[in-house]
Amino acid sequence: MGAVIAAILVGAATGWWTRSPWAMVLAPVTFMLVFELARMRVDGPTVDGIRLDGLYGVMALVAGRGVDAVLILLPMMVGASHGAALARRRRGPGQVEPRPHLVRRTGLGIATVAVLALLAGLLRPASTTPVVDADGDPIPGSIAELVDVPIGGHDQSIMLRGVSADMPVLLYLEGGPGGTGIGRIRNSGENLEQSFVVATWDQRGTGKSYDALEPAVTLTLDQMVQDTIAVTAYLRERFDEDKIYLVGSSWGTVIGTLAVQRSPELFHAYVGTGQMVDPFATDRLMYAESIADADARGDTGTADTLRAMGPPPYDDTLDYPVAIASNPRWMNFDHGADYHADSEYPMSLFVSEYALIEQLRGMAAIAETYAVLYPQLSEIDFRSQVTRLDVPVYLVQGRHEAAGRGTLADEWFELLSAPRKEYVSFDRSGHTPPYDEPGRFADLMSGVRAATEGEP
């Protein structure tokens, strides 16, 4: 909000000073040049050199500079135009200001309305609706909150929802790094709310916690594990629970597994979905799988692109989505009957739990946080580093999971020692069973609760 108002004022001052319509160009171009020069020393996929050679480069451009243009350049242009017009109207007696051309006036009117709408949108507070019964009435004793909690020296956001605040607590760790699970769980987690207080944490640098990214030098894998344990401590104290349930998805399984290994006494059970074991080995397997699939489909363009890139790891993190997310087979399958397409990015960002600025910055947060954290996972291999967990372990894998992930998860599960371990396969799921088959996942979690709640 402050940046938008400042941009309007700077534009208006420039227009007043120049008394020329050219202020609409002068002010934003000058700002853009200064801004680009100032951040040349900053690294990150949304501020690096522009890449238009693929979908993810375009997405980084839109999520970064595109959002900046909406928040800064458009308000500055509108302010400059109004400032120049106001200055010209204050000319001395006898000086007549020519009436602006109809097209120009119409364009300025539309742009002004757009900026006013932007300001109104930025004023809209984020909120989560009450948990309601079949008649749409709030359920007594239920909980529906968005809270900011000081974690690791930064305020980080958590969504809390459940039909009763007295139920066991489930902490959900979204994938990424950089993903935000609040919108995804909001769209697909209603059944979970019947058996748990579902705590969906936007990790540092993600979603509603996007502004906690800096200083990026302190955003480390170890810090993320410490943050997971700190969030767990908050939930245990807030809800007077000795232990909670921990569910990790994809990247969330990395920090979840390490948190359980470090502090098993805090958790009833660990549930891994889309379990990661050795991320960099998975990348190489998925790269090879993508080439083989492209060859089989006769998609020579994709196959040639991948071969030209070479196998991972990559210096530019924008190459990873091309190498490990370009295989259509990993998404083109029959999901569960209760699958919600709006649980996928970017549609999952358009829920009331996010303020407008969080919606606009959501995809940029994924790219920026991924670029900081993902290279730190090069030494992770749970097959040698985590061969025992002192809590019940449930692995929930989709039948349509990429072989590069599933094979390593199977190997780890066979090696793992735990008080109880169970491997569950979801026939109509891929990498994200909680979203691909949300009802079935909620039923499974009810079973996990029944099997473990009374255990010491």
Side-chain angles (χ1 to χ4, degrees):
M1 171 65 75
V4 175
I5 293 175
I8 294 172
L9 294 176
V10 169
T14 305
W16 178 274
W17 175 62
T18 62
R19 297 190 177 189
S20 168
W22 285 104
M24 291 180 62
V25 177
L26 175 64
V29 168
T30 301
F31 174 85
M32 185 171 58
L33 290 174
V34 171
F35 193 52
E36 290 292 332
L37 289 172
R39 64 182 185 180
M40 285 181 66
R41 294 169 293 179
V42 180
D43 293 325
T46 64
V47 296
D48 287 340
I50 295 173
R51 287 185 53 176
L52 300 177
D53 56 341
L55 173 62
Y56 296 99
V58 174
M59 288 176 61
L61 174 63
V62 172
R65 290 174 172 90
V67 172
D68 290 338
V70 171
L71 294 175
I72 302 296
L73 300 186
L74 177 61
M76 192 174 288
M77 292 172 64
V78 169
S81 182
H82 283 291
L86 183 60
R88 291 194 300 270
R89 289 193 194 100
R90 293 178 63 87
R91 291 181 175 183
Q95 293 181 304
V96 179
E97 168 68 12
R99 188 173 180 81
H101 191 276
L102 177 61
V103 173
R104 197 174 109 202
R105 283 188 290 138
T106 302
L108 178 58
I110 293 173
T112 301
V113 170
V115 170
L116 291 174
L118 176 63
L119 288 169
L122 292 171
L123 286 170
R124 177 188 63 83
S127 63
T128 190
T129 58
V131 178
V132 298
D133 59 22
D135 296 324
D137 299 320
I139 298 175
S142 63
I143 182 170
E145 295 182 14
L146 294 172
V147 295
D148 289 329
V149 182
I151 300 295
H154 299 80
D155 284 345
Q156 300 185 40
S157 296
I158 305 173
M159 180 178 70
L160 302 168
R161 295 185 60 86
V163 298
S164 171
D166 295 326
M167 292 188 304
V169 177
L170 183 158
L171 173 58
Y172 185 82
L173 306 176
E174 174 62 9
T180 168
I182 285 179
R184 306 190 79 186
I185 289 293
R186 188 67 188 90
N187 287 326
S188 290
E190 185 174 341
N191 290 330
L192 282 174
E193 299 170 7
Q194 309 304 309
S195 301
F196 298 92
V197 173
V198 182
T200 310
W201 166 40
D202 262 0
Q203 304 156 28
R204 181 179 161 192
T206 73
K208 297 182 68 63
S209 303
Y210 173 66
D211 57 1
L213 175 63
E214 299 295 341
V217 68
T218 66
L219 185 60
T220 64
L221 175 59
D222 183 68
Q223 183 62 56
M224 292 301 301
V225 176
Q226 292 182 49
D227 284 1
T228 303
I229 294 173
V231 171
T232 300
Y234 163 77
L235 294 171
R236 291 171 65 229
E237 180 178 0
R238 165 79 187 268
F239 295 99
D240 193 24
E241 296 280 344
D242 289 333
K243 298 181 179 182
I244 69 170
Y245 292 88
L246 188 64
V247 176
S249 174
S250 192
W251 146 258
T253 68
V254 175
I255 55 176
T257 298
L258 295 174
V260 171
Q261 182 188 47
R262 187 174 300 184
S263 300
E265 72 281 0
L266 305 180
F267 304 102
H268 286 296
Y270 166 71
V271 180
T273 71
Q275 178 72 43
M276 300 301 294
V277 174
D278 180 338
F280 276 43
T282 286
D283 291 345
R284 292 188 291 272
L285 290 169
M286 291 178 67
Y287 169 81
E289 191 177 349
S290 293
I291 289 181
D293 183 74
D295 285 338
R297 290 184 289 107
D299 186 352
T300 56
T302 297
D304 290 346
T305 297
L306 291 172
R307 288 191 173 96
M309 289 170 57
Y314 304 116
D315 292 331
D316 189 340
T317 54
L318 285 178
D319 288 334
Y320 280 101
V322 178
I324 65 176
S326 59
N327 191 332
R329 189 160 51 89
W330 296 330
M331 278 303 297
N332 295 342
F333 58 88
D334 288 332
H335 296 73
D338 56 350
Y339 166 73
H340 296 278
D342 51 5
S343 293
E344 306 291 352
Y345 298 114
M347 292 305 298
S348 62
L349 296 172
F350 298 103
V351 294
S352 65
E353 282 76 10
Y354 299 110
L356 178 60
I357 189 63
E358 294 156 356
Q359 294 171 334
L360 292 173
R361 294 293 190 192
M363 296 305 293
I366 294 176
E368 294 291 347
T369 305
Y370 186 94
V372 174
L373 281 169
Y374 196 75
Q376 301 178 38
L377 306 185
S378 61
E379 302 301 318
I380 290 291
D381 186 350
F382 290 161
R383 291 170 296 182
S384 59
Q385 296 162 348
V386 185
T387 57
R388 177 176 178 81
L389 289 176
D390 293 322
V391 303
V393 173
Y394 297 80
L395 227 58
V396 185
Q397 296 292 103
R399 186 169 67 85
H400 301 279
E401 173 67 284
R405 298 190 189 104
T407 299
L408 299 190
D410 293 350
E411 291 178 7
W412 179 63
F413 184 79
E414 290 300 318
L415 293 168
L416 182 67
S417 173
R420 177 192 297 123
K421 65 178 186 178
E422 184 175 340
Y423 186 102
V424 183
S425 177
F426 277 22
D427 292 338
R428 302 182 70 178
S429 289
H431 188 48
T432 55
Y435 310 127
D436 297 335
E437 297 180 74
R440 184 178 177 187
F441 183 76
D443 290 342
L444 178 138
M445 288 305 306
S446 295
V448 171
R449 172 184 169 180
T452 60
E453 190 173 11
E455 295 185 350

